[in-house]
Amino acid sequence: KGRHPCEGDSVDCVVGDVTLPAAHPTNAAVSSRVGEMEMFVFSYVLAENLQALEAGGLGLVQDILLCARLSAMVLILDSTHRLLPSIAARAASLGWTPIKPRWEVDVTGGSKNVLLLRRDRLAAHAGEPDGGERAAAEGEMPEWTRRPQRGLGRAKANRE
């Protein structure tokens, strides 16, 4: 018998407070694993925290954009597109590429309140000829992000 394509995969849901930075104790479950996670899902949580996110520099979202591993994905589904342009712009400056989802069935009903991002390169460190890829790969990132990048962990960053 052939091996099932999902055999060995796992899904873990990790809950955090999107309005707080990853280093905050409330987000310990996310921050301890951000470097090994492959997928971050923000599902109908950003719009309800819009004012706090705008005032706090995007909170946990910003830290995930800064510190996630190469090839990580961020999926944002929300009731409004209001934050999506600023998140997309910040993400682009940190090596993330927007991906147009292709649905077999249009589950969004034509909604423009969906943003899917993939991390294609690490953020540049100022003044480095390689664009910072060497420094980022060598772990010159905040201490809480220095975790082994292994496994198939996935997270749902959400507000309790």
Side-chain angles (χ1 to χ4, degrees):
K1 272 187 159 183
R3 194 173 164 207
H4 189 277
C6 295
E7 187 177 321
D9 284 356
S10 66
V11 175
D12 296 325
C13 293
V14 180
V15 178
D17 185 333
V18 297
T19 66
L20 298 172
H24 190 279
T26 300
N27 288 329
V30 177
S31 65
S32 68
R33 299 183 56 208
V34 72
E36 67 187 56
M37 294 180 187
E38 294 178 349
M39 171 74 71
F40 299 88
V41 178
F42 297 92
S43 182
Y44 297 93
V45 67
L46 300 181
E48 68 188 42
N49 294 291
L50 183 66
Q51 290 178 338
L53 287 166
E54 288 177 332
L58 297 179
L60 183 60
V61 178
Q62 164 77 8
D63 290 339
I64 288 170
L65 293 175
L66 281 167
C67 300
R69 66 188 282 169
L70 285 174
S71 78
M73 305 284 287
V74 169
L75 175 62
I76 299 171
L77 308 157
D78 226 316
S79 59
T80 179
H81 68 285
R82 187 166 162 191
L83 265 178
L84 300 186
S86 61
I87 292 172
R90 182 64 180 137
S93 75
L94 296 171
W96 294 81
T97 302
I99 307 295
K100 181 166 176 54
R102 291 186 209 135
W103 313 102
E104 283 188 33
V105 175
D106 183 7
V107 297
T108 68
S111 173
K112 301 208 183 312
N113 304 334
V114 176
L115 179 61
L116 179 61
L117 301 163
R118 180 183 62 228
R119 186 137 204 211
D120 292 325
R121 61 180 172 77
L122 297 175
H125 288 18
E128 292 193 18
D130 67 352
E133 290 186 26
R134 179 191 50 77
E138 290 175 4
E140 293 180 21
M141 298 174 90
E143 177 62 34
W144 59 264
T145 66
R146 295 184 191 154
R147 305 282 186 256
Q149 293 191 6
R150 59 181 164 66
L152 295 168
R154 289 166 176 78
K156 179 179 180 179
N158 201 346
R159 182 174 169 83
E160 286 188 301

